Amino acid sequence: MTKFSPPLAASLSYRDAGVDIDAGDALVERIKPLAKKTMREGVLAGIGGFGALFEVPKRYREPVLVAGTDGVGTKLRLAFEWNWHGTIGQDLVAMSVNDILVQGAEPLFFLDYFACGQLTIDTAAQVIEGIAKGCELAGCALIGGETAEMPGMYPPGEYDLAGFAVGAVEKSKIINGSRICAGDIVLAIASSGAHSNGYSLVRKIIERAGAKPDDDLDGRPLIEAVMAPTEIYVKPLLKLMSAIDIKGLAHITGGGIVDNVPRVLPENMQAVLQRDTWELPALFRWLQTQGNVADAEMVRIFNCGIGMVLIVAPELASTAIQSLATEGLKVWVAGEVRERPAGEAQTLVI
């Protein structure tokens, strides 16, 4: 490590390292009202302290905490290249809250980490506004996080982003898929787009096709389809959980349909989905055509229009569909659960 001589060390300040203190202070002032809008029961102390405090609501008798952390992957690269920062924060929240939701957990609070080389208030504010919106949609409080300015670590205009969510579920209400049996119905809940997975391939296809952000895709700019924020399923599914018995939930993220559904299935069970039972959105049709992607690869990499899979007993399927439709979600009966033949995959899309 270089050691400054006393005269040089005395002449340097934190600003000489490239850190904009005023920008950081201004950003904090913009964050506070956004975080305030997400406050909920349980918050004892939020943004501004060395640590946030949260009390598990007293209505829980045997609370089990469920935690999840994630980022938004290489979707960030397109956010930089296309100067699209307003919805990336919702993506961040969605990836964690949807993950803990599938175990029956109600998201309680969220923390974010935003790091850059030089802080640009407008960009950072757009991202954090998206985070606050995501927290509102999920019903969880934005109670803290970290905004780090680290000169020399990131190219100009770029940043890193990560998030962390904590939720609670009654011990007796944990959803783990253990009761799934042959004859159960597999429901597919529509995604809002590619969500935040498969973007290394998305970017490669865009590059190979020579596509531009304002190119038309089924009546809207390509950028709007590609960067559509990840759907947050929390409130509709928590409402459904309070009404019926849900045996299994799978958030369709990296690994697509065929790798995520098995995560909630007993070893001796197999989910068989019929490919023609749900709508393949225009974005995925375009990606498959432009990238010459095989059907098997599509369901292994992308959600293909399914953001969440729900498994229920046959007699509860219509109730689930009606409840979710009332909340504005598209739902399809995509298949059923069967006994798993020896040597076959746990999820088939046929």
Side-chain angles (χ1 to χ4, degrees):
M1 179 181 292
T2 302
K3 186 176 182 179
F4 293 125
S5 62
L8 180 57
S11 69
L12 291 174
S13 70
Y14 203 45
R15 294 185 191 278
D16 292 312
V19 177
D20 191 337
I21 300 171
D22 293 334
D25 291 342
L27 181 62
V28 169
E29 291 309 307
R30 289 183 65 168
I31 292 172
K32 284 182 178 178
L34 297 174
K36 187 176 181 180
K37 291 174 65 178
T38 72
M39 291 301 101
R40 53 158 293 157
E41 61 171 332
V43 178
L44 302 181
I47 288 176
F50 286 99
L53 302 176
F54 193 96
E55 181 181 37
V56 177
K58 292 181 173 58
R59 55 188 163 82
Y60 284 96
R61 292 175 297 175
E62 292 184 290
V64 173
L65 297 181
V66 184
T69 186
D70 213 332
V72 296
T74 59
K75 192 172 187 177
L76 270 182
R77 175 56 54 191
L78 286 175
F80 304 150
E81 293 175 1
W82 289 354
N83 193 29
W84 186 278
H85 308 285
T87 59
I88 208 76
Q90 181 176 325
D91 287 314
L92 182 70
V93 175
M95 295 305 289
S96 288
V97 297
N98 285 341
D99 271 357
I100 65 175
L101 174 68
V102 300
Q103 291 170 288
E106 171 196 6
L108 299 176
F109 61 84
F110 186 84
L111 298 96
D112 68 278
Y113 174 79
F114 179 97
C116 59
Q118 183 171 10
L119 189 62
T120 302
I121 296 178
D122 285 343
T123 298
Q126 285 183 60
V127 174
I128 295 170
E129 284 168 5
I131 292 172
K133 180 180 179 181
C135 287
E136 285 189 76
L137 291 171
C140 65
L142 176 59
I143 60 173
E146 170 71 1
T147 301
E149 189 174 20
M150 299 183 287
M153 284 291 291
Y154 301 93
E158 297 189 7
Y159 52 85
D160 197 9
L161 195 60
F164 181 87
V166 172
V169 58
E170 292 286 5
K171 191 173 184 180
S172 61
K173 299 292 186 180
I174 293 172
I175 299 173
N176 59 18
S178 61
R179 295 180 296 108
I180 293 173
C181 61
D184 285 340
I185 300 299
V186 179
L187 301 178
I189 308 176
S191 67
S192 54
H195 286 182
S196 299
N197 296 103
Y199 275 82
S200 293
L201 182 56
V202 170
R203 289 170 42 239
K204 179 64 70 175
I205 292 171
I206 288 171
E207 179 184 347
R208 190 170 294 175
K212 305 299 181 197
D214 58 355
D215 286 352
D216 179 78
L217 179 65
D218 199 33
R220 64 171 173 163
L222 179 66
I223 189 172
E224 291 184 8
V226 171
M227 301 302 289
T230 306
E231 185 77 38
I232 292 176
Y233 300 97
V234 173
K235 292 180 180 179
L237 281 176
L238 286 178
K239 179 182 176 182
L240 184 61
M241 288 174 197
S242 69
I244 71 168
D245 177 30
I246 297 175
K247 293 188 177 184
L249 279 168
H251 183 202
I252 309 304
T253 56
I257 297 168
V258 296
D259 284 350
N260 281 288
V261 176
R263 296 168 70 178
V264 299
L265 293 174
E267 283 291 323
N268 63 333
M269 292 291 116
Q270 178 185 65
V272 181
L273 281 65
Q274 303 290 331
R275 194 184 303 271
D276 60 357
T277 55
W278 77 90
E279 176 186 349
L280 186 67
L283 173 62
F284 296 105
R285 296 197 301 270
W286 183 85
L287 289 168
Q288 184 166 26
T289 300
Q290 295 295 325
N292 193 28
V293 184
D295 287 345
E297 280 295 282
M298 288 293 294
V299 294
R300 189 185 67 82
I301 296 173
F302 300 119
N303 67 57
C304 292
I306 300 174
M308 192 77 75
V309 162
L310 177 70
I311 300 176
V312 296
E315 63 272 17
L316 296 177
S318 61
T319 301
I321 292 170
Q322 184 176 359
S323 174
L324 294 172
T326 300
E327 297 297 314
L329 294 174
K330 287 184 179 180
V331 189
W332 301 277
V333 176
E336 65 175 1
V337 176
R338 301 175 184 172
E339 295 281 349
R340 180 188 180 192
E344 283 199 9
Q346 278 200 285
T347 300
L348 295 180
V349 180
I350 60 177

